[in-house]
Amino acid sequence: MFVRGSQVHQRLFFLRTLKKNQLSSAILVNFYRCAIESILTSCITVWYENCSATDCKALQRVVKTTQRITGTPLPAIEDIQRKRCLRRARSILKDSSHPDHRLFNLLSSGRRFRSLRTRTSRSRNSFFPTAVSLLNSGGAAVA
């Protein structure tokens, strides 16, 4: 797994301690977002697509545990990754001086982006092909 399990488990212990001290669920969720989610999703746009199914389940298990502790629904790791990937792709599209701006080429229709050709699954699962497919699936309105 890409995440240090001991760091996450330490912070889950702190979250349980906060719950035992009867803090509000808003404070518990805030603690989760700052202390646990930040560890789980560090550089998620880079590594998530190459993550194994076992690792994805382990990450999601931490989110489910936190949901039980806080008593509130939280976004799935996959949703966080998708949102951050789209945000990064849109920022690259807006900045024409970005070194990777040229990787996002519109097709002649002007509505979809050209899919990037890759030879290996490692490259296929990297940020840019994922971002292009997310943008093409309705993740961005192209002007």
Side-chain angles (χ1 to χ4, degrees):
M1 192 156 83
F2 299 93
V3 178
R4 291 188 174 164
S6 61
Q7 284 183 340
V8 171
H9 290 293
Q10 264 184 347
R11 283 160 177 84
L12 281 173
F13 171 78
F14 294 143
L15 186 66
R16 286 185 185 99
T17 304
L18 293 173
K19 171 87 174 176
K20 286 178 188 173
N21 289 316
Q22 300 171 349
L23 272 75
S24 70
S25 62
I27 292 174
L28 297 176
V29 169
N30 192 23
F31 179 82
Y32 163 75
R33 297 211 188 245
C34 295
I36 300 171
E37 187 179 272
S38 62
I39 295 170
L40 294 177
T41 60
S42 176
C43 299
I44 195 168
T45 57
V46 175
W47 58 260
Y48 186 79
E49 289 298 323
N50 283 311
C51 196
S52 70
T54 306
D55 290 339
C56 290
K57 284 181 182 179
L59 291 168
Q60 195 56 40
R61 194 176 315 118
V62 172
V63 175
K64 283 186 177 184
T65 301
T66 306
Q67 284 178 341
R68 278 195 304 276
I69 295 169
T70 62
T72 58
L74 297 168
I77 295 292
E78 185 176 354
D79 296 337
I80 294 170
Q81 184 269 343
R82 196 175 296 125
K83 180 179 167 186
R84 290 188 184 181
C85 191
L86 281 170
R87 188 179 342 148
R88 177 175 280 178
R90 287 182 186 129
S91 71
I92 292 171
L93 281 170
K94 286 180 187 175
D95 184 10
S96 60
S97 65
H98 192 283
D100 295 319
H101 180 79
R102 62 179 176 75
L103 293 174
F104 294 97
N105 295 323
L106 282 172
L107 293 172
S108 58
S109 68
R111 290 182 289 178
R112 292 176 53 87
F113 292 95
R114 184 175 309 280
S115 295
L116 301 175
R117 292 191 178 165
T118 58
R119 292 183 183 170
T120 63
S121 63
R122 182 176 182 179
S123 180
R124 194 174 313 114
N125 293 333
S126 67
F127 168 73
F128 291 105
T130 303
V132 168
S133 67
L134 285 172
L135 289 169
N136 285 341
S137 67
V142 180

